């Protein structure tokens, strides 16, 4: 009977030990599961941070590209305006030359017409003088 009792105690002790081991094992499993969860969370957080960094890098690159395109367009526009200003200046200069030449030709025509008018008036006066002399001579001659 004593043997049975001690055997019973040993069995109970073994069962308690087994239960304690199970509890410890379950605790370890829970810790491991918690650790795995934490690692997954940390990994997800790292992935989100990496994605955010990549997104920010893309946005920054897009901004830099847009600024570069704007700067290039500004340079093109400035060059176009410079060329346009040059052509406009050339046209204005050419128009001024043409206007000056036209004015000079017109002044020359006016001078020529004045000279013709003076010559015509002179001829008229000379003709009238000649006619008057002829009349005077005729008057003296035929009395």
């Amino acid at each position: 009977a004593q043997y049975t009792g001690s055997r019973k105690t040993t069995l109970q002790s073994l069962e308690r030990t087994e239960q304690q081991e199970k509890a410890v094992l379950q605790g370890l499993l829970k810790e491991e599961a918690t650790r795995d969860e934490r690692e997954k969370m940390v990994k997800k957080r790292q992935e989100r941070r990496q994605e955010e960094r990549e997104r920010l890098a893309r946005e920054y690159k897009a901004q830099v590209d847009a600024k570069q395109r704007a700067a290039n367009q500004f340079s093109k526009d400035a060059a176009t305006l410079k060329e346009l200003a040059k052509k406009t200046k050339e046209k204005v200069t050419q128009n001024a030359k043409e206007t000056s030449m036209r004015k000079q030709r017109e002044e020359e025509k006016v001078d020529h017409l004045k000279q013709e008018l003076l010559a015509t008036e002179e001829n008229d006066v000379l003709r009238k003088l000649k006619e008057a002399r002829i009349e005077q001579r005729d008057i003296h001659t035929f009395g």
Side-chain angles (χ1 to χ4, degrees), residues 2-16:
Q2 200 181 29
Y3 174 75
T4 309
S6 81
R7 195 170 166 211
K8 203 177 191 180
T9 310
T10 305
L11 274 175
Q12 287 174 347
S13 174
L14 281 174
E15 283 177 8
R16 271 194 305 263

Side-chain angles (χ1 to χ4, degrees), residues 2-133:
Q2 200 181 29
Y3 174 75
T4 309
S6 81
R7 195 170 166 211
K8 203 177 191 180
T9 310
T10 305
L11 274 175
Q12 287 174 347
S13 174
L14 281 174
E15 283 177 8
R16 271 194 305 263
T17 305
E18 192 176 316
Q19 285 176 350
Q20 287 173 347
E21 285 176 354
K22 278 184 182 178
V24 167
L25 197 69
Q26 284 178 343
L28 287 174
L29 286 173
K30 281 183 183 177
E31 270 184 41
E32 191 173 327
T34 305
R35 191 176 324 114
D36 284 348
E37 282 298 312
R38 253 189 262 124
E39 285 176 4
K40 284 180 186 176
M41 287 172 53
V42 166
K43 195 171 188 177
K44 281 184 181 179
R45 199 175 308 129
Q46 288 173 340
E47 287 173 359
R48 282 193 306 269
R49 285 181 183 158
Q50 182 62 28
E51 288 171 1
E52 181 67 10
R53 279 193 293 274
E54 289 171 359
R55 183 185 66 78
L56 290 173
R58 283 191 304 272
E59 287 177 8
Y60 178 75
K61 187 178 182 321
Q63 288 175 353
V64 168
D65 290 348
K67 286 179 182 176
Q68 185 61 48
R69 282 191 302 275
N72 290 345
Q73 188 61 45
F74 180 80
S75 293
K76 285 180 187 175
D77 291 349
T80 301
L81 287 174
K82 188 175 180 182
E83 186 63 27
L84 187 60
K86 182 181 174 186
K87 287 181 180 179
T88 303
K89 184 180 177 185
E90 288 172 359
K91 271 189 175 180
V92 167
T93 303
Q94 183 64 31
N95 287 346
K97 284 181 186 176
E98 289 174 5
T99 303
S100 176
M101 288 173 62
R102 235 181 284 123
K103 185 179 177 185
Q104 185 178 352
R105 281 193 301 264
E106 288 172 4
E107 287 174 355
E108 287 173 358
K109 279 183 187 177
V110 167
D111 286 345
H112 181 70
L113 289 173
K114 280 182 182 176
Q115 286 176 357
E116 279 184 12
L117 183 62
L118 282 175
T120 304
E121 287 176 356
E122 243 179 66
N123 285 340
D124 284 348
V125 167
L126 287 175
R127 186 178 45 77
K128 286 179 183 176
L129 263 176
K130 196 174 184 183
E131 287 174 4
R133 280 191 200 142

